[in-house]
Amino acid sequence: MSNKGIEINGNVGNLHVQQDCVNSTMNVTIINDSQFFIKAQEIIDSIKQYDTDFKSTFHEKEQEIRSELTIAQDCVNKKDRPRLSKALTTIKDIAKSITSNVIASSIVHLIAGGDI
C-alpha cells in the first residue's frame, strides 16, 4: 500500500476524497493561514542561521538561495501563501541538489518536515 498526498493552497469547502478500498483511513490536517505563516517564519529563521555557510554550501547557487529567502520573507510579510510555497520549494530543490552536505540536508528537512 502506498500513501498518496494532496496539497491544496487556498480556500476549500466541502472537500471529499474518495478512497477506493476497504478499511482505508484518511487523515486531514488543516493549517490555517495564521499557523502557516508562523511555521513558514520559523523555517525561514532556521535557514537564515546557516547564512555564513551559504557560499561554501551552495557555491554558484548562493545568490539564488539568498534571493528566494528574501522573496519568502517578503511573502510572509505580505501573507502571499502561493508565492511563499513556491519560494520555499525552490530553496528545497536547490538544497536537494547538494547531496553530500549536512547544511543542505538540514534545509531540505526543515522545509519538507515543516508541514507547509
Side-chain angles (χ1 to χ4, degrees):
M1 177 190 287
S2 65
N3 292 323
K4 304 285 188 224
I6 300 171
E7 180 179 334
I8 301 171
N9 292 316
N11 297 326
V12 176
N14 298 319
L15 175 68
H16 176 76
V17 178
Q18 180 65 41
Q19 299 179 29
D20 219 8
C21 59
V22 177
N23 296 326
S24 64
T25 61
M26 181 171 69
N27 298 316
V28 177
T29 303
I30 299 173
I31 300 176
N32 66 33
D33 277 350
S34 177
Q35 293 169 318
F36 177 84
F37 290 111
I38 290 168
K39 186 65 179 172
Q41 186 63 60
E42 290 171 0
I43 291 169
I44 291 166
D45 291 342
S46 294
I47 293 170
K48 286 180 178 180
Q49 291 177 357
Y50 299 114
D51 182 78
T52 57
D53 297 309
F54 282 1
K55 181 77 171 159
S56 62
T57 300
F58 298 109
H59 307 286
E60 70 276 354
K61 296 284 189 175
E62 174 195 11
Q63 285 309 115
E64 188 174 356
I65 288 283
R66 291 186 187 285
S67 175
E68 291 298 327
L69 268 176
T70 299
I71 290 167
Q73 184 64 68
D74 189 49
C75 290
V76 167
N77 297 340
K78 292 180 179 176
K79 306 294 189 233
D80 183 349
R81 190 171 179 157
R83 181 62 186 105
L84 174 59
S85 292
K86 183 178 178 192
L88 290 175
T89 297
T90 300
I91 293 167
K92 181 179 69 175
D93 290 344
I94 293 169
K96 273 184 173 178
S97 72
I98 313 294
T99 57
S100 63
N101 187 285
V102 174
I103 292 171
S105 296
S106 296
I107 290 172
V108 170
H109 177 74
L110 281 167
I111 296 172
D115 295 324
I116 64 167

